[in-house]
Amino acid sequence: MEIRVQQLKEIEKPLLLLSRDELFGENGKACQLLADGDLLKVLSLPSSVEIFQHFQEYFENRNIEDSLTRSVQSWLDADNSFERQVQVLSVGVVALLAFVQDNWSGPNLEESLAWLKQSCNIESVDDFQSVLVSNLVLDGEAIVSVCRHLEFLAVARAALLVDLPDVKTAKWWKFRCLMIHQRVLDEKSPQLHDQLILLKDQLLQSEYIKQDKDLNILLQLEVAHMHLMYHEVQPSGEVLAKAVEAAGLTVNLTGALGKRTRFQQRELPQLTLDVKSHVPSSALHISQENLPKDLKLDDDVRLDKIAFSNSVDGDYGILSPIQQACVLGTFSQTQKCQPKDKLADEELLAYLTCLLSQPQVWSFQLSCLLFRSKIESNHSRTVERSMTQTQTLVDAINSSTPDRWQRFHLIFCSYMGPIWKLEEELASLLLSLGCVNSALDVYLRLQCWEEVIACYNYLKLRHKAEEIIRQELEKKETVKLWCLLGDATDNVECYEKAWILSNKKSARAQRHWGLYFFHRKQYGEAISHFQESLAHNSLQTTLWFQLGYASLQHEDWATAATAYRRCCFLDPENFEAWNNLSKAYVNLGQKNRAWKALQEALKWDYENWRVWENFLIVSLDCAVMDEVIRAYHRILDLKEKHVDVEVLEILGRAIIEDLPDCDGVPCKALLDKSLQLLGRITAQVTNNWKVWRVYSRLTSASPNPTPETQTRAVQHMQKAHRAAVADASWVNDTKICMEVLGLTEELANVSLACAHETSNNKQSLSILSSAKLSLRSTLSKTKQQRFSLLTGQIEEEIQPQYQTLEALLEKITEALSV
C-alpha cells in the first residue's frame, strides 16, 4: 500500500502535465503504476479488471456505463482505502487517455476492451457501439457518429465520476473527462455545462493546486478553454488574464517596420507580438523531427516570414511550455472575440508566428499549424500551402512517431480538435479549391451528412443526397438522419418521425422542424418548434437568435426580448442580438433597457453606423442628449454625410427651451456642442434648409448674444431660405408652401432683431435689404400661383401667413426708410 501511496504523490503533478520524461524517463515514478505507459495493458491487468468484477450483476437494460459505475462504487464500498482510490483513478485516467489517443492525438488503437464486450454478451461490434452511443447521449444530444472506441470513455466516466475523496487530483481528471465527453457530442449539453461549472469552482479553491504555480496556471488555462467552448467569453478572459499574470508574461500586439514581399522597396509597419517574460524560463528540448512539420511558403512574391528591419523585432525570447500555453490561450480568446476580417487575421497570425518560432509541444505545434492553415485558406497566395499543410497534419496523426506520451503533453489546454475535425478542414479546403468530388469522398467517410447534401446540391445531384440518407436509414434509424432527410426532401413528416424516434426528447428534431418554417417565413409556426427545442437544450445560441428574429417578425415583442436576452447571455459579443434586443425593448416601451442594450451592441461593433443610428434615436427618446450629439458625430465619422432633420429639430428645441435631460440637467449646457455638430453637418450638406434653420435658431439662442452671433443667425437663416426656394415647385404643394412662408416669416423676424441690435448702420441696412428682397420674392411667387380668380384673394389655407408676411414687409420697408 505504501508503495502506491508514495507513487501517486510523486506522479500527481507530472500526470496532470502529462510530462513523459518525469513519468517514464530514467527517474520516472509511473512505470510500475501505469505499466510503462502501455494504456491497453493497464486496462487489461487483473487488478484493473477486478474493479469491474460485479459488472455482470448490475448489467441490465443494456446500460453499460451505469453498470460500470455501480460496479466501481461497489468495489470501493467494500474497501474505500486510499490504495483502491488510486487504482480506480489510474484506470480512469488511462481509459480517458486511450480515448483521447484514438480520437485526438493518434495513432488509432486497433484493440479494444475484450473483457467488457464479452461481459455484455454482445457479439456484433456495431451493436456494442450502438449500445454505448445510447448510453452516452446526454440531453438528447447524440454522439458524433465517427467517434471511435466509446468503451474507453464509458470506463473513464465510470472510474472518474465516482467520489475519490482522498485523491487530490481526482476532481481535475473528472473535469477533463466531462470536457472530452462534451466535445464528442453533436451539441452543447446543459447537464455537462452545469457539472463543469460546479467542478471549476471547487478546483479553483483547491489549496493543493494554489500552492503549485504550474498547476495553478494549467488549471486556469483549462477553465478558460471550458468557458470558450460554451461561448462564455467574459469569464474566459478573466481567468486567462490571471493565468498570463501568474506565468510572468505580458503579451501585446505592436507594430514594427519590415517587408512582407520579395520585391518590396519600402519598409512598412507590420503587426508582431511583443512578449515579455518576467520570470526565468527554459525551453523543452525536443527533436524537431518528432513534431508536425511546418511547411515553408513557396511563393514568387510573398516571403515565408516578415523580414523585420530590426533584428530584435520578431525575437520572442525563450518561453517555457506553460508560457506557450498562455500565449495559445490568448490567441484563442482573441480569435473568439474578434470579428472575421483581414485585420483580425493579421492579429491572429502574429500570435501563431510567435508560437511556431520555437516549437516544443507536439499538440501546440499541430494546433497552431491548423489554425494558420484556416486563416491562410482565405488568401490566394497561401491557400496551396494551407491545403498541403493540413494534409501533412493528417499524416502526422497517423504516423507511428512520436510515442503517445509525447503527444499527450499539455494536450488538454492545446485547443486541439478531434481527428475528424482535422479531416473536415481538409475536405473544406478541397471544396474551396473546386475539388468537390474529393471533398465529397471525405465527407461521406466522416458521415458529415449536411456537407454531403451541400456537395450534391452543388453538383446538381440533390436526389443523390436523398438516396445516400435513405441507405443509411435502412442500416439504422437515427434522429439526425431523419432530420437530414427532411432537409433534403422538404418533407415535414421526416421531422415528426425524428421527434417520435427520440421519445419526444430531441432538440435537433424540433430545431430542424422549426427551421423548415423559418426559411419559408412562416414565423408563427417556427416559434413553437424553436421553443420546444430550446426547452430540451438551452445552450443553442444560434437558435435563440433565430427565435428572437422570428418573434420580431411575428411582433411577439416579449418572446423576442426573452430570446435575445438569452442569446446575449450565451454570446455577449453578438452585436446583432444586442441591437435586436433594443428593438424588442422599444416596442415593449422599455426605452432605458433598449438604450443599455445598444451600448453593449456598440462595444462589439463600434464601426457599424446602423447600430449608432439606432443608439442615436433611442438616446433621444431617453433624453440622453450628450449621447445624441456623440452618436451623431460617430455616424458622420463612419458615413461622412448623414442628415436626420427630426433628431436635430428635437435636439434644438430641447436646448432652446432649456428642457431637462434624463438626469435633470438643463439642455442649454449642450449649446456649444450642438453648434459644433451643426457646423460639421452644414459643411457637408449645404442644401438642406431645415438643418440651416435649426442652426440659425440655436445660434440665436446664445445666453449672451453679440452682434456677431446675431449676424451669423441671420446668415444661417438666409441660407435656409435660399435652399428652400431653390426648387421652384415649392409653391405648388400646400404643405411645403406653408413651411416656406413660415421660414420667410422667421427670416424677417431674425433680420429685424439683428438690425435693431447692431450699431453698424451699413450692416443693418444690408440685412434688412436682403430680407426685403426675400419677402418680396416669396410673396410674388405665392400670389402668382395661389391667387383665386373666383374670390379675388389668396387661397384661404395660406392667407393668414401671407398677410403676416405682407405686414412684415411693410415693417422692414419702414425701417429702411428711417
Side-chain angles (χ1 to χ4, degrees):
M1 176 177 177
E2 284 301 322
I3 295 175
R4 280 192 175 275
V5 172
Q6 189 61 32
Q7 279 178 329
L8 183 67
K9 288 181 178 179
E10 290 178 348
I11 71 165
E12 273 187 296
K13 178 179 176 180
L15 192 58
L16 285 169
L17 294 169
L18 293 168
S19 176
R20 177 183 180 278
D21 291 340
E22 293 182 56
L23 289 170
F24 304 107
E26 292 182 8
N27 300 315
K29 306 294 183 181
C31 298
Q32 182 181 348
L33 187 63
L34 299 179
D36 293 321
D38 187 334
L39 304 178
L40 293 177
K41 183 177 179 182
V42 174
L43 294 173
S44 301
L45 288 172
S47 57
S48 299
V49 179
E50 180 190 358
I51 298 173
F52 306 101
Q53 60 186 333
H54 299 293
F55 172 77
Q56 286 186 312
E57 297 175 26
Y58 297 116
F59 186 57
E60 55 188 20
N61 300 325
R62 297 169 70 87
N63 195 326
I64 295 175
E65 188 198 340
D66 182 61
S67 304
L68 287 169
T69 304
R70 292 172 66 186
S71 179
V72 173
Q73 192 60 59
S74 173
W75 190 71
L76 286 172
D77 289 342
D79 177 10
N80 198 20
S81 63
F82 182 75
E83 184 180 24
R84 284 203 168 195
Q85 291 182 35
V86 169
Q87 196 168 336
V88 169
L89 178 73
S90 61
V91 168
V93 168
V94 167
L96 181 63
L97 293 177
F99 185 71
V100 168
Q101 176 182 335
D102 213 23
N103 292 281
W104 265 263
S105 62
N108 290 336
L109 294 171
E110 298 303 326
E111 299 180 48
S112 183
L113 296 178
W115 60 266
L116 180 58
K117 185 169 174 289
Q118 291 170 2
S119 299
C120 294
N121 293 320
I122 301 175
E123 295 182 4
S124 169
V125 174
D126 290 339
D127 286 347
F128 183 53
Q129 290 297 313
S130 178
V131 172
L132 284 165
V133 167
S134 63
N135 293 171
L136 292 167
V137 166
L138 288 176
D139 299 305
E141 299 302 340
I143 298 287
V144 175
S145 56
V146 291
C147 191
R148 290 170 53 88
H149 289 158
L150 288 168
E151 60 272 22
F152 292 129
L153 180 59
V155 170
R157 281 178 57 87
L160 296 175
L161 269 58
V162 297
D163 189 24
L164 303 175
D166 299 327
V167 183
K168 295 174 182 177
T169 57
K171 287 183 178 179
W172 195 335
W173 282 105
K174 180 178 179 181
F175 180 88
R176 288 176 169 180
C177 182
L178 295 178
M179 281 280 289
I180 290 297
H181 191 177
Q182 174 61 84
R183 296 182 72 186
V184 297
L185 290 175
D186 273 341
E187 301 284 349
K188 300 294 182 288
S189 163
Q191 182 179 332
L192 284 176
H193 176 258
D194 293 343
Q195 291 176 334
L196 284 165
I197 292 295
L198 180 62
L199 275 173
K200 178 258 303 189
D201 294 335
Q202 294 172 353
L203 286 168
L204 290 174
Q205 298 302 317
S206 168
E207 290 300 325
Y208 170 75
I209 296 172
K210 285 181 180 179
Q211 290 169 6
D212 190 290
K213 180 181 175 181
D214 286 345
L215 292 184
N216 189 35
I217 296 170
L218 181 61
L219 174 62
Q220 290 170 333
L221 291 172
E222 291 187 26
V223 168
H225 187 184
M226 181 271 293
H227 282 304
L228 277 183
M229 185 172 66
Y230 288 105
H231 311 292
E232 297 166 348
V233 177
Q234 184 175 346
S236 170
E238 292 171 358
V239 177
L240 183 63
K242 292 178 182 177
V244 173
E245 182 182 357
L249 285 178
T250 55
V251 182
N252 296 298
L253 285 165
T254 187
L257 290 175
K259 296 178 181 179
R260 186 181 290 268
T261 64
R262 298 180 189 278
F263 310 108
Q264 190 173 333
Q265 298 296 316
R266 188 163 60 93
E267 292 179 330
L268 296 172
Q270 309 289 343
L271 265 178
T272 185
L273 203 64
D274 181 20
V275 183
K276 290 185 173 64
S277 176
H278 309 297
V279 295
S281 57
S282 57
L284 186 69
H285 297 291
I286 185 170
S287 172
Q288 301 298 308
E289 295 177 359
N290 291 331
L291 296 176
K293 187 178 180 182
D294 180 2
L295 300 181
K296 302 304 177 186
L297 180 63
D298 184 16
D299 186 73
D300 295 337
V301 175
R302 195 165 180 173
L303 293 171
D304 180 49
K305 295 179 181 178
I306 296 172
F308 291 106
S309 57
N310 191 336
S311 60
V312 176
D313 297 320
D315 181 7
Y316 308 102
I318 298 175
L319 299 178
S320 66
I322 204 75
Q323 288 177 325
Q324 283 197 337
C326 291
V327 176
L328 181 57
T330 308
F331 162 84
S332 298
Q333 178 76 18
T334 306
Q335 184 184 44
K336 183 68 179 173
C337 296
Q338 294 282 20
K340 306 297 183 288
D341 55 31
K342 290 184 178 180
L343 178 59
D345 287 349
E346 293 299 323
E347 293 182 10
L348 296 173
L349 284 170
Y351 286 95
L352 297 177
T353 302
C354 169
L355 291 166
L356 292 171
S357 68
Q358 42 184 296
Q360 300 182 61
V361 181
W362 187 91
S363 57
F364 291 0
Q365 181 80 350
L366 189 138
S367 291
C368 290
L369 290 173
L370 180 59
F371 285 136
R372 189 184 69 185
S373 294
K374 288 181 180 179
I375 295 171
E376 291 187 343
S377 66
N378 300 317
H379 303 276
S380 58
R381 294 204 171 274
T382 53
V383 65
E384 186 177 346
R385 176 170 73 166
S386 173
M387 189 186 70
T388 311
Q389 182 71 76
T390 307
Q391 181 62 62
T392 303
L393 298 179
V394 173
D395 296 340
I397 285 180
N398 296 324
S399 172
S400 58
T401 57
D403 66 61
R404 61 170 66 92
W405 287 94
Q406 187 170 316
R407 301 182 191 214
F408 287 154
H409 185 42
L410 297 176
I411 195 170
F412 291 101
C413 64
S414 68
Y415 293 86
M416 181 179 167
I419 295 170
W420 59 84
K421 286 292 182 184
L422 178 57
E423 293 184 323
E424 280 180 34
E425 184 62 30
L426 178 60
S428 175
L429 283 164
L430 289 167
L431 192 62
S432 68
L433 291 171
C435 306
V436 183
N437 287 314
S438 298
L440 180 60
D441 291 340
V442 178
Y443 286 137
L444 284 169
R445 178 166 52 80
L446 297 176
Q447 300 179 30
C448 300
W449 304 120
E450 292 99 328
E451 287 76 12
V452 167
I453 292 171
C455 287
Y456 278 129
N457 285 340
Y458 182 85
L459 294 169
K460 297 181 180 179
L461 297 170
R462 194 179 184 195
H463 65 283
K464 200 64 179 156
E466 181 183 349
E467 289 177 15
I468 293 290
I469 295 171
R470 289 193 183 278
Q471 288 173 13
E472 294 299 318
L473 278 169
E474 288 176 7
K475 298 176 187 175
K476 182 185 177 183
E477 287 186 306
T478 67
V479 170
K480 184 175 181 179
L481 285 171
W482 274 116
C483 290
L484 293 175
L485 183 61
D487 294 344
T489 61
D490 295 329
N491 187 348
V492 181
E493 292 180 2
C494 295
Y495 306 127
E496 189 173 359
K497 288 179 180 178
W499 179 239
I500 294 169
L501 182 64
S502 71
N503 295 321
K504 299 185 177 181
K505 293 180 180 179
S506 171
R508 174 187 281 272
Q510 287 292 339
R511 181 174 72 246
H512 281 256
W513 204 343
L515 287 171
Y516 171 85
F517 294 111
F518 182 84
H519 294 313
R520 287 159 180 76
K521 298 185 179 180
Q522 298 174 24
Y523 298 116
E525 291 86 349
I527 288 170
S528 60
H529 291 292
F530 286 166
Q531 289 174 326
E532 185 70 38
S533 177
L534 291 163
H536 287 84
N537 186 344
S538 61
L539 294 178
Q540 301 177 83
T541 308
T542 303
L543 197 62
W544 280 114
F545 186 90
Q546 290 166 326
L547 172 60
Y549 181 83
S551 302
L552 281 183
Q553 299 302 313
H554 198 58
E555 298 187 359
D556 184 351
W557 312 120
T559 302
T562 301
Y564 282 124
R565 270 199 306 270
R566 183 62 179 168
C567 181
C568 293
F569 174 78
L570 292 172
D571 185 8
E573 298 175 18
N574 190 333
F575 81 92
E576 289 179 292
W578 285 111
N579 187 57
N580 292 350
L581 176 60
S582 74
K583 182 178 179 180
Y585 280 146
V586 166
N587 285 284
L588 288 169
Q590 301 173 13
K591 293 181 179 178
N592 286 330
R593 297 181 78 178
W595 186 73
K596 291 177 180 177
L598 282 169
Q599 281 186 310
E600 291 295 325
L602 290 171
K603 280 184 186 178
W604 306 113
D605 195 3
Y606 197 74
E607 305 299 318
N608 192 320
W609 71 267
R610 295 185 186 279
V611 181
W612 277 105
E613 186 177 36
N614 292 340
F615 182 66
L616 170 74
I617 294 167
V618 175
S619 296
L620 192 66
D621 285 342
C622 296
V624 192
M625 295 303 183
D626 55 337
E627 289 296 328
V628 171
I629 295 172
R630 185 175 78 91
Y632 211 123
H633 273 297
R634 184 61 187 153
I635 294 171
L636 292 175
D637 291 340
L638 298 170
K639 279 187 70 180
E640 292 187 4
K641 291 183 180 181
H642 180 77
V643 177
D644 193 325
V645 174
E646 187 178 359
V647 168
L648 294 172
E649 287 179 339
I650 294 171
L651 175 64
R653 186 165 61 251
I655 293 172
I656 292 167
E657 297 176 11
D658 203 16
L659 300 176
D661 68 4
C662 60
D663 296 322
V665 178
C667 288
K668 201 86 169 185
L670 298 172
L671 178 61
D672 290 342
K673 289 183 178 180
S674 63
L675 288 173
Q676 290 174 4
L677 173 64
L678 282 159
R680 184 178 180 186
I681 295 170
T682 53
Q684 297 170 342
V685 181
T686 59
N687 60 350
N688 191 303
W689 67 269
K690 292 184 178 181
V691 177
W692 281 112
R693 183 175 63 180
V694 174
Y695 199 4
S696 175
R697 288 173 177 175
L698 284 172
T699 305
S700 300
S702 175
N704 300 306
T706 64
E708 288 76 14
T709 58
Q710 290 183 321
T711 302
R712 281 200 300 273
V714 172
Q715 291 170 346
H716 297 335
M717 195 63 76
Q718 288 172 343
K719 290 177 180 178
H721 188 269
R722 282 197 293 271
V725 299
D727 184 355
S729 64
W730 65 267
V731 74
N732 299 322
D733 187 294
T734 301
K735 182 181 177 182
I736 298 174
C737 181
M738 293 179 70
E739 286 179 340
V740 172
L741 293 178
L743 176 67
T744 310
E745 178 185 346
E746 201 167 347
L747 170 62
N749 288 324
V750 171
S751 299
L752 282 167
C754 181
H756 178 72
E757 293 295 329
T758 184
S759 57
N760 187 328
N761 190 49
K762 187 176 179 180
Q763 186 178 18
S764 174
L765 290 173
S766 175
I767 290 171
L768 290 173
S769 297
S770 177
K772 182 180 178 180
L773 286 173
S774 297
L775 261 71
R776 272 187 170 177
S777 173
T778 303
L779 288 168
S780 174
K781 186 77 172 176
T782 305
K783 189 172 183 179
Q784 288 174 10
Q785 300 294 327
R786 314 293 295 203
F787 186 79
S788 174
L789 294 174
L790 293 174
T791 62
Q793 294 180 342
I794 296 296
E795 292 177 9
E796 187 178 349
E797 282 182 273
I798 63 174
Q799 190 174 17
Q801 283 186 297
Y802 186 86
Q803 291 173 347
T804 301
L805 287 184
E806 285 184 320
L808 284 168
L809 178 60
E810 190 175 327
K811 189 174 181 180
I812 290 173
T813 303
E814 289 176 1
L816 284 168
S817 63
V818 173

